[in-house]
Amino acid sequence: KCFQNVAITVHGVHMPDHFSFAKVKGCIREINFTRKYVIGGIIHEIKDIRTWVNPTMSAYVFCAWMHCIYANAFSLVPGYVVFFFVLQLMRTYAIYVVERVRQEGFAQPTFEEMLKA
């Protein structure tokens, strides 16, 4: 029943057939794949921060950690975590949008194209 509710939530009530055991197994595989991918990405990012692969992010985490310890305030952690995610988004934007080499022929829409859309 639980997986049926998950499938209806994910895929909507307009699923083509009745809910079957094959769809339950498919949902379980999808959930497990997503869980492994997210946990693997988090572990990879932690290793990158520890080994200073990206010195900017590692320095940010180190300085934030030292500031929290110096101020003896755990209340600073949520702000640093949110800003860490903002920095990750900025880094991803710089890698995949600003660098023309990685766009693989796709260009961002211009202001005129956005107005005409």
Side-chain angles (χ1 to χ4, degrees), residues 28-87:
I28 291 172
R29 273 186 260 130
E30 185 177 353
I31 290 169
N32 286 337
F33 174 75
T34 305
R35 181 178 47 86
K36 288 178 184 177
Y37 181 76
V38 168
I39 291 173
I42 291 171
I43 290 172
H44 181 71
E45 188 65 32
I46 290 172
K47 285 180 182 177
D48 285 352
I49 289 172
R50 282 183 35 218
T51 57
W52 291 75
V53 172
N54 186 0
T56 308
M57 298 302 279
S58 297
Y60 171 76
V61 170
F62 178 75
C63 290
W65 175 43
M66 286 294 120
H67 183 242
C68 290
I69 290 174
Y70 180 75
N72 197 19
F74 189 77
S75 61
L76 298 172
V77 173
Y80 281 124
V81 169
V82 168
F83 193 66
F84 176 78
F85 288 126
V86 170
L87 286 177

Side-chain angles (χ1 to χ4, degrees), residues 2-13 15 19 23-24 27:
C2 178
F3 288 111
Q4 182 178 3
N5 293 338
V6 169
I8 289 175
T9 303
V10 171
H11 300 289
V13 293
M15 290 179 14
F19 192 80
K23 291 182 183 174
V24 170
C27 285

